[in-house]
Amino acid sequence: MARIFFLMLIIIPGMLMAQQKRPAHHSDDGFVNPWPGYEKHGLAQVARWILWDRLVKGSRREDSDSVRFDAGQNDPAFLRANRDALTVTWVGHATLLLQIDGLNILTDPIWSERASPVSFAGPKRLMPPGIDFKKLPEIDAVLISHNHYDHLDTETLKKLAAQNDHITFFVPLGLGAFLEDLGIQRYEELDWWQSVRLNGREFIATPTQHFSGRTLWDRDETLWCSWVVIGAKNRFYYAGDTGYFPGFKEIGQRYGPFTLAAIPIGAYRPRWFMSPVHVSPVEAVQAYLDLGARYFIPIHWGTFVLADEPLREPPRLLMETVARRKLNPENFRLLKHGETFIPGKER
Ligand code: ZN
Ligand code: ZN
């Protein structure tokens, strides 16, 4: 009896300490958004959006099949040969080709026709990828923000891993096993604020206010994040998917100022449903200011229809906000699909 009593004396404080040490965004069965005011939506709200907003109120009025954008230009031979210049090319949606201090990096790469678990249904591309996959320069690193289908595309990841075996895949907690199932061994799995060095550059997983899940049964089991890449000369921030939250300021304080910040501007309507997890263009501008960035690279729009805003609204609202807040429009680089931006070589 006495032995059990003394054992309890050791075990209970240990359990309490372990509980205290657990980061606020970890939970018993996965992860949570720890910021006050965050409102978690579930299936009931999804049903309200689809049945009430869309079917009854007709919140998505646009015929997206008739909307197309002018494609941009890039020079694959230049991108393959480039070792010095900082460049960023918008492939489409959240996929960027970033060249920073000699490293070639892809963010949330998707070359597939649909952002979906199946090839015959689900959101379909409006615009082809801005660079032919075969013309990509040799990739060194891939940044994955979370496991939603428009950000983690298994076909593209398998093609990248088959293309060369020295790519390092950076993923948030819980996605390492997913990559191993695809046959990918070379990865770094990070929690928020953890960092790893690759060829002298620092990669840091930073928070977002979002969620995860690829089925009805795996909600929030793996983490979501944004990424900071610190090179010798330049600092890059990639937001992935996120609602507006206090984390932008903290990321800016810890790792800013950034040369480039890639921030989503699409998938924000209806606001009652989307605002906890997707910034509007108005909030995206505030995030850019919080982060302390020079150039804003808009992502997550004009490629897949995921929400209810008209497809041309995000860039319009973005530039209206820039004008209203009297910011320099030259710093907001609205790229066309496939267009390359080279800071210092502004058009
Ligand atoms: Zn998402
Ligand atoms: Zn997304």
Side-chain angles (χ1 to χ4, degrees), residues 76-95:
F78 164 75
L79 294 173
R80 275 200 299 277
N82 176 36
R83 293 288 173 276
D84 318 309
L86 175 69
T87 80
V88 62
T89 305
W90 188 40
V91 179
H93 200 56
T95 307

Side-chain angles (χ1 to χ4, degrees), residues 209-287:
Q209 182 167 284
H210 200 61
F211 65 113
S212 71
R214 290 172 77 83
T215 66
L216 290 176
W217 306 275
D218 64 345
R219 172 76 190 258
D220 297 348
E221 285 180 7
T222 64
L223 186 58
W224 44 96
C225 74
S226 50
W227 290 98
V228 169
V229 181
I230 302 179
K233 290 177 281 184
N234 295 295
R235 288 163 179 256
F236 170 72
Y237 172 74
Y238 171 72
D241 258 351
T242 182
Y244 183 76
F245 76 129
F248 292 122
K249 270 205 187 88
E250 191 177 353
I251 295 164
Q253 280 160 3
R254 289 200 193 190
Y255 297 111
F258 299 102
T259 321
L260 300 171
I263 303 172
I265 61 167
Y268 52 88
R269 287 195 198 278
R271 292 306 289 147
W272 71 264
F273 182 65
M274 294 294 184
S275 72
V277 289
H278 288 281
V279 290
S280 69
V282 175
E283 291 168 331
V285 171
Q286 187 57 49

Side-chain angles (χ1 to χ4, degrees), residues 1-243:
M1 194 65 199
R3 261 171 70 184
I4 290 171
F5 175 74
F6 283 114
L7 258 173
M8 297 294 269
L9 274 184
I10 294 165
I11 290 168
I12 290 172
M15 281 168 66
L16 288 174
M17 267 174 65
Q19 283 237 320
Q20 279 168 3
K21 268 190 202 152
R22 186 163 86 177
H25 63 290
H26 289 216
S27 70
D28 288 339
D29 46 8
F31 301 93
V32 293
N33 289 304
W35 294 276
Y38 170 74
E39 200 183 320
K40 183 174 174 175
H41 290 160
L43 284 178
Q45 287 79 19
V46 174
R48 184 182 145 200
W49 170 34
I50 300 297
L51 298 176
W52 178 251
D53 286 72
R54 277 200 172 172
L55 288 178
V56 178
K57 283 167 56 190
S59 58
R60 168 129 202 104
R61 292 188 182 89
E62 186 178 56
D63 171 17
S64 51
D65 285 344
S66 63
V67 179
R68 288 293 178 277
F69 298 94
D70 294 334
Q73 295 284 323
N74 61 68
D75 180 349
F78 164 75
L79 294 173
R80 275 200 299 277
N82 176 36
R83 293 288 173 276
D84 318 309
L86 175 69
T87 80
V88 62
T89 305
W90 188 40
V91 179
H93 200 56
T95 307
L96 296 169
L97 167 65
L98 171 77
Q99 299 188 294
I100 182 166
D101 298 335
L103 274 192
N104 295 327
I105 298 171
L106 287 174
T107 63
D108 288 342
I110 174 164
W111 261 258
S112 295
E113 196 50 25
R114 292 183 193 270
S116 164
V118 289
S119 61
F120 54 87
K124 197 171 182 296
R125 298 191 90 90
L126 299 168
M127 295 288 292
I131 308 181
D132 187 343
F133 188 82
K134 293 193 188 78
K135 291 186 178 162
L136 278 173
E138 205 163 307
I139 299 302
D140 301 293
V142 171
L143 308 180
I144 303 287
S145 63
H146 63 300
N147 72 359
H148 286 153
Y149 289 94
D150 56 320
H151 297 260
L152 195 168
D153 181 57
T154 53
E155 288 310 307
T156 304
L157 295 191
K158 283 194 275 189
K159 271 164 75 178
L160 281 164
Q163 187 194 48
N164 79 57
D165 58 9
H166 77 259
I167 300 177
T168 303
F169 293 81
F170 289 86
V171 294
L173 280 189
L175 284 178
F178 187 94
L179 292 191
E180 285 184 25
D181 286 346
L182 299 180
I184 296 172
Q185 304 292 338
R186 201 181 168 92
Y187 63 84
E188 297 285 351
E189 190 188 50
L190 273 64
D191 197 358
W192 290 351
W193 306 116
Q194 283 182 338
S195 72
V196 161
R197 292 189 85 81
L198 177 75
N199 296 356
R201 287 76 168 180
E202 195 176 357
F203 290 73
I204 304 128
T206 41
T208 50
Q209 182 167 284
H210 200 61
F211 65 113
S212 71
R214 290 172 77 83
T215 66
L216 290 176
W217 306 275
D218 64 345
R219 172 76 190 258
D220 297 348
E221 285 180 7
T222 64
L223 186 58
W224 44 96
C225 74
S226 50
W227 290 98
V228 169
V229 181
I230 302 179
K233 290 177 281 184
N234 295 295
R235 288 163 179 256
F236 170 72
Y237 172 74
Y238 171 72
D241 258 351
T242 182

